[in-house]
Amino acid sequence: MRTARLLFSPWSESDWLLLKPIATDPEVMRYISDGQPWPDERIQEFVNRQIACLRRHGFCMWRLLEPETSQMIGFCGLQPLADTPEFEIGWWLARSHWGRGLATEAAHAVLRDGFDRDGLKRIVAIAQPANRASLRVMEKLGMHYEGDTQHKGIAVVLHAIHTPELPMSSGT
C-alpha cells in the first residue's frame, strides 16, 4: 500500500530497533497505555504481534516509511481490539513528523483497505480523552463518538465508522 507521501510495509523481527526511538519518546508515549516509554521487551512483543496479525488477518499495524529515504517514521494499520470482537485502527508517528497530516493520510488509506480489500463492515478507534490530536484524526476520518469506556484499565473514548460512512477524500 502507498499514499502520496507514505509507503506501508510489513514488519520483520529486527524492526523493533527502528520502532524503539518512537516507543521510548516520552512525548509520543504520553497518551499510549500508561504514558510511559516502552521497554525493549514490550517493543519486541508489539512487533511480533504485528507479524502474527498479518499472517492471521492479512493486515496489521503497517510500518510507515518515507518513500524517498525508506526511513521508518511510525506505523498505522488495523489489529484486533483486545478483549473485544472489534478491529481497531491505530497510528503513531515520530514527533518530527507531527502536524503534517500524515496520520490522517495513512489512516484514510488503511480504512479504505480494511473496507474494500479486507471486507470489514466496521472499524473502531480508541484514544485517551486528552489526546486531542488523535481525536481530530478520528473526526477527519468521519468516525463517530460511541462512548467512554476502559481499555486495559485506562479510560478511553471509542469512535467507529461503518463502510458506507467512509469519506471519499483523505481530509488532510
Side-chain angles (χ1 to χ4, degrees):
M1 202 164 40
R2 167 181 203 120
T3 69
R5 301 181 290 169
L6 299 166
L7 287 174
F8 295 74
S9 175
W11 298 86
S12 65
E13 286 185 22
S14 62
D15 288 335
W16 77 272
L17 292 166
L18 301 174
L19 181 58
K20 185 175 179 169
I22 300 169
T24 57
D25 181 329
E27 281 302 304
V28 171
M29 300 308 291
R30 183 174 175 190
Y31 298 117
I32 306 300
S33 305
D34 62 1
Q36 298 300 309
W38 282 5
D40 290 355
E41 299 76 31
R42 188 157 182 195
I43 301 167
Q44 291 168 352
E45 185 276 328
F46 173 86
V47 169
N48 290 333
R49 191 171 70 242
Q50 298 315 310
I51 293 168
C53 184
L54 180 60
R55 222 180 354 249
R56 181 167 187 204
H57 298 288
F59 53 76
C60 65
M61 294 286 187
W62 305 101
R63 291 186 315 131
L64 293 178
L65 309 176
E66 287 185 323
E68 305 80 33
T69 64
S70 294
Q71 174 191 3
M72 186 176 133
I73 61 166
F75 65 78
C76 181
L78 299 170
Q79 68 180 2
L81 181 60
D83 303 320
T84 76
E86 306 272 19
F87 288 97
E88 73 166 321
I89 186 170
W91 50 83
W92 293 9
L93 286 177
R95 194 172 0 154
S96 59
H97 289 77
W98 289 1
R100 297 169 25 194
L102 293 171
T104 303
E105 182 177 324
H108 188 269
V110 165
L111 283 179
R112 271 270 170 247
D113 191 58
F115 288 130
D116 294 346
R117 184 176 64 87
D118 300 315
L120 298 178
K121 303 295 181 216
R122 171 182 157 90
I123 297 172
V124 301
I126 58 172
Q128 293 181 23
N131 188 346
R132 304 302 306 158
S134 282
L135 295 176
R136 179 73 179 125
V137 170
M138 292 175 200
E139 180 182 298
K140 288 180 183 180
L141 294 172
M143 300 185 92
H144 303 287
Y145 170 80
E146 287 197 348
D148 298 340
T149 188
Q150 295 272 318
H151 180 70
K152 297 183 179 181
I154 297 167
V156 295
V157 293
L158 178 84
H159 287 69
I161 188 167
H162 297 82
T163 308
E165 300 171 22
L166 187 62
M168 293 307 293
S169 68
S170 66
T172 55

